[in-house]
Amino acid sequence: MSESVTIRLKQPHEALPEELLMLADPDWEQIEKYLNKSSWTVAELEGAIIGVCGVMALEEHAAEIMNAAVEPAYQGNGFGKRLILHALEQAKNEGCEKVVVRTGNSSLDQLGLYQKCGFRMARIERDYFVNNYPEPIFENGIQCRDQVILEINI
């Protein structure tokens, strides 16, 4: 199956699946803030987008991964890592030197994935999700309270 999945840049005419975006960010209002300001790498299987990774420029030579998600049926096959590494290569080609990613303290799989891609933990913003999201978020039996910020120099 891995061979039949294509990792590529999103075409301007393509729409990203809302349900897929909301796997990584459960608040549509937050997604709308970066959706059209980000460049998107997608994983495509048989004409369907099964994974996304959005990168938004922050300042000169820096960017942030805003959303990275793979359909649950395809998770655990390396597609998330391929998406992120492709997006990092694209950012580097565009002159970016540092990429940041923010995730929740309860996002154990995501924390592992980002570290496998070379990201290092930089800092923690305590109570970020409690203060910025309307509903409590729980993952892996843990309340998502704190935002973990990871960085990589590319």
Side-chain angles (χ1 to χ4, degrees):
M1 174 182 18
S2 181
E3 307 82 37
S4 58
V5 171
T6 303
I7 307 294
R8 61 172 177 76
L9 291 177
K10 175 193 161 299
Q11 298 302 310
H13 66 278
E14 288 180 301
L16 297 171
E18 186 174 316
E19 306 81 31
L20 188 55
L21 294 167
M22 291 186 74
L23 287 175
D25 191 339
D27 186 346
W28 187 252
E29 286 183 21
Q30 295 291 332
I31 293 169
E32 286 181 320
K33 292 177 184 177
Y34 59 78
L35 183 61
N36 295 319
K37 297 177 184 174
S38 300
S39 62
W40 293 90
T41 300
V42 299
E44 181 183 43
L45 176 65
E46 298 174 0
I49 294 175
I50 61 159
V52 296
C53 183
V55 178
M56 184 174 76
L58 294 176
E59 56 209 33
E60 190 174 352
H61 307 298
E64 180 175 349
I65 291 179
M66 301 305 295
N67 188 308
V70 174
E71 288 286 350
Y74 299 101
Q75 291 177 5
N77 292 302
F79 303 135
K81 185 174 183 181
R82 286 177 57 196
L83 277 165
I84 291 167
L85 294 176
H86 188 281
L88 291 175
E89 188 64 31
Q90 183 67 29
K92 183 177 181 178
N93 290 342
E94 293 172 5
C96 189
E97 297 172 359
K98 178 173 89 172
V99 177
V100 175
V101 66
R102 301 165 189 267
T103 194
N105 62 284
S106 58
S107 301
L108 304 179
D109 291 339
Q110 293 86 337
L111 285 166
L113 172 61
Y114 293 129
Q115 290 178 85
K116 288 176 187 176
C117 291
F119 284 84
R120 303 274 317 270
M121 291 186 195
R123 62 191 179 282
I124 295 172
E125 190 170 329
R126 294 174 61 92
D127 290 324
Y128 176 86
F129 291 97
V130 173
N131 294 332
N132 291 286
Y133 282 74
E135 300 292 327
I137 301 168
F138 287 87
E139 298 173 292
N140 301 303
I142 303 166
Q143 183 173 2
C144 185
R145 299 183 60 87
D146 306 322
Q147 186 177 71
V148 181
I149 297 108
L150 300 98
E151 298 177 348
I152 187 171
N153 293 321
I154 54 175

